[in-house]
Amino acid sequence: MSASAGAPGRRTRPSRRPDWAGRNYTLLTAAAIVTNLGSQGALIASAFAVLQMGGDGGDVGLVAAARTVPLVLFLLVGGALADRLPRHRVMVAANALNCVSQGTFALLVLVGEPHLWQMMLLSALGGTGHAFFSPASEGMLLSSVSGEQAGRAFALYRMAMHGAGIGGAALGGALIAVFGPGWVLAVDAAAFLVAACLRAFLDVSHIPVRKPGGGMISDLREGWREFTGRSWLWSIVVQFAVVNAVVVAAEAVYGPLVAEEELGGAGPWGLALAAFGAGTVAGALVMMRWRPRRLLLAGTLCVFPLALPPAALAVPLPVLPLAAVLFLTGASIEVFGVSWMTALHQEIPEDKLSRVAAYDWLGSIGMVPVATALTGPAEEAFGRDAALWGCSALVVLLTAAVLTVPDVRRLSRRTTKVTESPILPAPPTPTPSPSPSADAEGTVGRTG
């Protein structure tokens, strides 16, 4: 206790943060705001950098694919590593790699004429950093809050992240118009540097050190058993493997085509997408106050509106009704997102959070490149309208199928967190015997 705290007549200044917003949570939220402000603008800037150097739409797609491929390949390794090493060190290293790759990209754009292979290589390095960062980040966030206010904490975090993303996209577009894409990429590199500095101060003393023994393959198998042993977990990840793929394909490929032919071009389409972003913020605000008892039932019911945007594009709806549909979709999916994070937080043991998050991420993005590649053949075979209606039908059918899983309907909110996995066998109780196994078990409570 400090002298000032114990001195009579002195008042301790009350904290402006709520009890559930601890130091780690605050640092993570601040760093997420910084990186999203930079990254959303950089996504636009990288595309314009390719076009500025004489590339075409196919080249833009190659640079984007170069980022996605290593992201898919290294996610599971990143999850296993994040559960083995201190998570904040993995996050800082990944941010440093992103800083270097984006800084080099910016330098090439500003002072020279980068070749396509150089831009693809740098994009691939960025995707590699993201693959190691994402499982570590999710595990760190899930371990940074506790108690019955966890849902509120996740909602605020997501609201801050989405709000920064909206602002970053708007700011990035303006900066590209005035200064060019190179400077926006440089800003993104600086944002990664600032975020790495913030994340370096995260405290991981509450996370037990992993017991010795086992290698990377053993870690991945353990994470797989944790993942497949819960029907609510793997069924929803399988659902979203397809749902994310068809929704992204509809909005990223068919959406701009419909906008160009039916809605008046990029401006109206940008307005509709901005409405989706505003909807995510509104959904997070709702989840700041609403605490559904049956987490996954409420969240899964809110997945059904994802069928609306492809249907609206198939009609197609005018711009304002389309924007309203996307706003509703953004709000609904945010209800699912907060409910999902709360379920992971309360059900997955601390030492397996990042591996489970890696399987979740892999399921969520693994089918997206396949779906986007099939949009052209599907349009030629069935027509664009039929392909869009097919996307809507898949969302409805898969979501209805997930609701037949008993654990999805029954899993309820609790205030206590799982500390030992009900899937994997519990570790043996240590004995006074000075055997090697007892020593190994005794390391569980140490801090890293």
Side-chain angles (χ1 to χ4, degrees):
M1 180 181 293
S2 66
S4 60
R10 297 284 295 275
R11 294 183 178 180
T12 303
R13 180 179 295 179
S15 173
R16 295 182 179 179
R17 296 183 305 196
D19 293 339
W20 45 266
R23 179 173 177 270
N24 276 1
Y25 175 84
T26 303
L27 285 171
L28 287 167
T29 304
I33 291 172
V34 171
T35 50
N36 273 269
L37 280 171
S39 296
Q40 293 303 311
L43 290 175
I44 304 171
S46 63
F48 276 91
V50 175
L51 297 175
Q52 180 178 288
M53 300 306 160
D56 56 17
D59 294 331
V60 173
L62 286 174
V63 172
R67 179 178 179 84
T68 304
V69 170
L71 177 59
V72 172
L73 289 178
F74 293 117
L75 263 173
L76 296 183
V77 177
L81 195 66
D83 275 341
R84 180 171 290 272
L85 301 177
R87 291 186 181 121
H88 71 311
R89 294 183 184 174
V90 178
M91 296 167 70
V92 170
N95 283 167
L97 177 60
N98 285 128
C99 175
V100 172
S101 63
Q102 289 294 73
T104 305
F105 199 162
L107 186 63
L108 289 174
V109 173
L110 288 171
V111 303
E113 295 184 0
H115 299 290
L116 179 62
W117 71 265
Q118 293 173 321
M119 292 186 284
M120 290 178 64
L121 175 61
L122 293 169
S123 183
L125 288 176
T128 302
H130 193 36
F132 284 88
F133 172 82
S134 296
S137 174
E138 187 163 335
M140 195 73 208
L141 176 64
L142 292 174
S143 70
S144 69
V145 298
S146 60
E148 61 182 15
Q149 298 298 332
R152 177 176 292 185
F154 298 142
L156 180 60
Y157 176 88
R158 292 173 66 91
M159 181 172 64
M161 185 176 63
H162 290 312
I166 295 170
L171 180 61
L175 291 175
I176 291 169
V178 177
F179 300 107
W183 287 108
V184 176
L185 292 168
V187 168
D188 188 37
F192 277 117
L193 178 61
V194 173
C197 293
L198 290 172
R199 288 164 176 144
F201 289 101
L202 291 168
D203 180 13
V204 295
S205 61
H206 65 290
I207 302 176
V209 167
R210 292 280 306 281
K211 61 184 179 182
M216 184 69 68
I217 299 299
S218 176
D219 286 350
L220 291 174
R221 287 174 178 168
E222 189 175 290
W224 177 250
R225 291 196 299 270
E226 194 75 35
F227 174 76
T228 57
R230 292 175 166 83
S231 59
W232 62 267
L233 179 58
W234 65 258
S235 62
I236 289 180
V237 171
V238 169
Q239 170 203 13
F240 268 85
V242 179
V243 168
N244 276 343
V246 298
V247 169
V248 170
E251 295 185 6
V253 180
Y254 295 140
L257 296 175
V258 173
E260 184 68 28
E261 297 173 9
E262 306 286 347
L263 304 178
W269 181 236
L271 174 65
L273 293 179
F276 176 85
T280 61
V281 175
L285 282 172
V286 170
M287 294 304 288
M288 287 283 291
R289 294 187 173 274
W290 185 37
R291 300 172 63 246
R293 186 174 66 86
R294 295 194 179 183
L295 289 167
L296 296 181
L297 177 60
T300 302
L301 288 173
C302 287
V303 178
F304 280 110
L306 264 70
L308 296 177
L313 290 171
V315 171
L317 291 180
V319 175
L320 291 181
L322 177 61
V325 165
L326 287 173
F327 180 89
L328 173 63
T329 304
S332 299
I333 199 58
E334 199 62 20
V335 173
F336 169 82
V338 174
S339 300
W340 179 247
M341 291 186 72
T342 306
L344 292 176
H345 170 262
Q346 76 176 30
E347 298 296 326
I348 306 300
E350 167 66 49
D351 63 332
K352 300 174 183 68
L353 282 172
S354 289
R355 277 170 288 174
V356 169
Y359 283 108
D360 179 18
W361 270 88
L362 182 61
S364 297
I365 67 172
M367 292 292 293
V368 170
V370 177
T372 53
L374 290 176
T375 52
E379 184 175 7
E380 291 181 3
F382 308 108
R384 186 189 304 162
D385 291 350
L388 285 165
W389 283 115
C391 292
S392 293
L394 282 172
V395 173
V396 172
L397 290 173
L398 286 165
T399 306
V402 163
L403 287 174
T404 66
V405 178
D407 284 348
V408 172
R409 302 193 307 272
R410 296 171 185 168
L411 193 144
S412 298
R413 182 185 299 271
R414 293 186 284 104
T415 58
T416 57
K417 177 175 172 55
V418 168
T419 57
E420 290 186 358
S421 172
I423 309 302
L424 303 175
T429 303
T431 66
S433 171
S435 64
S437 60
D439 290 340
E441 290 297 329
T443 64
V444 173
R446 293 166 50 198
T447 57

